[in-house]
Amino acid sequence: MSRFLIVLLPLFALILSGCGGNSRSTADSDTLKAVKQRGEVRIGVKEDTKPFGFRLGGERAGFDIDIAIAIAQQLGIAQVRFVTVTSANRIDMLKSGDVDMVLASMTITRQRDREVDFSIPYFQDGQGLLVQKDSDIGSYLDLAGRMVGAVKGSTSGSNIAQVAPDASVIEFGDYQRLERALRAGTVDAITTDTVILLGMAQSSKGALRLAGQSFTVEPYGVAIVENQSNWRDAINEAIQVLWESGQYQMIYDTWFGAHSVYGEHVNFAVTTYPR
Ligand code: GLU
């Protein structure tokens, strides 16, 4: 906990508030210039998705929150305004101009890339399954005829339709509702990225367990509006500098280090390009 605080406390000073702004899109101008002129970047983050974006004692916390603040610092932007997004509305929040970028456990997919642009990957996970401890489900191969919960707007539901077409997918609005549905037995299994499930398994104190290995590849990217080349280049440069300077590793260790429940599962390196 102390390492966590050391990393986060100076960064909290940057955070303006937790509620969203509403100014118009800068999609038809230069977002990088606009953000620098404003002196503030509006970043869409989750508050229901531990350990990426959630609330800890009322404050925003998570890997995505720390990476977002570090990117803003790297870009020389004085203020960060966090805006809460969900899996279902994060693309619309970008398109409407409510946020300048989104860091929200968001997988880079080719389908999403038709609507928004993405940075280089800054993390990678894979999709898994979480079940009650005495469930007979051992992996996605056992899902035929079963009810599987997923969060609306995530990649998870459609991936299940691919790997287990005889399962029924039920979608929930957020990750708390999803977890409650599994505990209540409304669904036989829930599915999302494994790191998110590991956090739920840990807080269940043995009542919930993972079933099988990850069965998809989920590279996370910073999402921005389409056709903002300067903005995307600046974010990509910032991610690479964070990696080279070791700041990325500090944040990574805070959340996913060997001491954490995720330690054995995660193993990611940012790809840096030659200067
Ligand atoms: N990474 C997956 C996605 O982008 C699941 C996590 C989430 O819902 O944000 O859909």
Side-chain angles (χ1 to χ4, degrees):
M1 179 56 86
S2 57
R3 257 162 74 190
F4 165 79
L5 283 177
I6 291 163
V7 174
L8 281 194
L9 279 179
L11 304 178
F12 279 145
L14 272 171
I15 303 169
L16 259 191
S17 81
C19 37
N22 228 352
S23 41
R24 271 307 304 154
S25 170
T26 50
D28 40 4
S29 63
D30 185 324
T31 304
L32 178 62
K33 223 189 253 168
V35 164
K36 291 232 169 177
Q37 259 161 20
R38 209 191 301 137
E40 176 188 275
V41 58
R42 299 157 308 159
I43 308 182
V45 293
K46 300 281 205 67
E47 60 176 24
D48 69 335
T49 312
K50 194 178 172 190
F52 294 98
F54 63 105
R55 295 275 184 182
L56 190 64
E59 299 290 345
R60 291 187 188 276
F63 179 73
D64 282 345
I65 308 289
D66 288 354
I67 293 289
I69 292 169
I71 289 175
Q73 279 177 332
Q74 193 55 46
L75 293 174
I77 301 162
Q79 303 284 358
V80 173
R81 179 181 294 275
F82 283 126
V83 179
T84 300
V85 299
T86 63
S87 294
N89 76 6
R90 55 196 162 187
I91 287 182
D92 287 343
M93 291 289 278
L94 267 176
K95 285 177 154 182
S96 63
D98 285 294
V99 292
D100 303 302
M101 59 166 136
V102 163
L103 278 95
S105 57
M106 188 167 180
T107 301
I108 304 166
T109 69
R110 282 176 272 175
Q111 189 173 341
R112 287 174 177 164
D113 202 28
R114 292 186 201 124
E115 294 191 76
V116 293
D117 275 342
F118 286 101
S119 70
I120 58 171
Y122 68 91
F123 186 71
Q124 183 166 300
D125 196 7
Q127 185 174 337
L129 279 180
L130 193 71
V131 296
Q132 292 198 1
K133 75 169 189 310
D134 48 5
S135 166
D136 60 356
I137 296 172
S139 78
Y140 68 85
L141 297 172
D142 302 323
L143 292 180
R146 312 306 280 270
M147 308 262 253
V148 183
V151 159
K152 211 170 163 213
S154 72
T155 48
S156 320
S158 49
N159 287 340
I160 287 291
Q162 298 281 322
V163 301
D166 297 326
S168 304
V169 175
I170 305 180
E171 293 195 315
F172 295 86
D174 59 59
Y175 281 97
Q176 277 75 51
R177 285 193 181 88
L178 183 71
E179 188 178 346
R180 280 204 297 274
L182 178 62
R183 286 172 182 264
T186 314
V187 292
D188 301 302
I190 61 174
T191 186
T192 182
D193 298 341
T194 301
V195 165
I196 303 170
L197 296 177
L198 278 168
M200 295 181 188
Q202 188 200 29
S203 53
S204 80
K205 298 193 168 61
L208 309 176
R209 65 164 174 85
L210 286 180
Q213 304 294 314
S214 299
F215 51 88
T216 70
V217 175
E218 308 286 330
Y220 290 6
V222 179
I224 63 167
V225 287
E226 294 254 81
N227 304 320
Q228 284 293 333
S229 182
N230 290 342
W231 187 220
R232 187 160 63 158
D233 284 352
I235 293 167
N236 282 343
E237 174 69 15
I239 293 170
Q240 292 175 77
V241 171
L242 291 181
W243 178 261
E244 288 167 344
S245 70
Q247 198 180 347
Y248 179 99
Q249 201 59 47
M250 233 171 75
I251 296 170
Y252 191 87
D253 286 347
T254 301
W255 294 103
F256 308 127
H259 66 283
S260 77
V261 65
Y262 315 104
E264 301 216 333
H265 175 74
V266 296
N267 179 22
F268 178 75
V270 171
T271 299
T272 55
Y273 301 109
R275 287 187 181 275

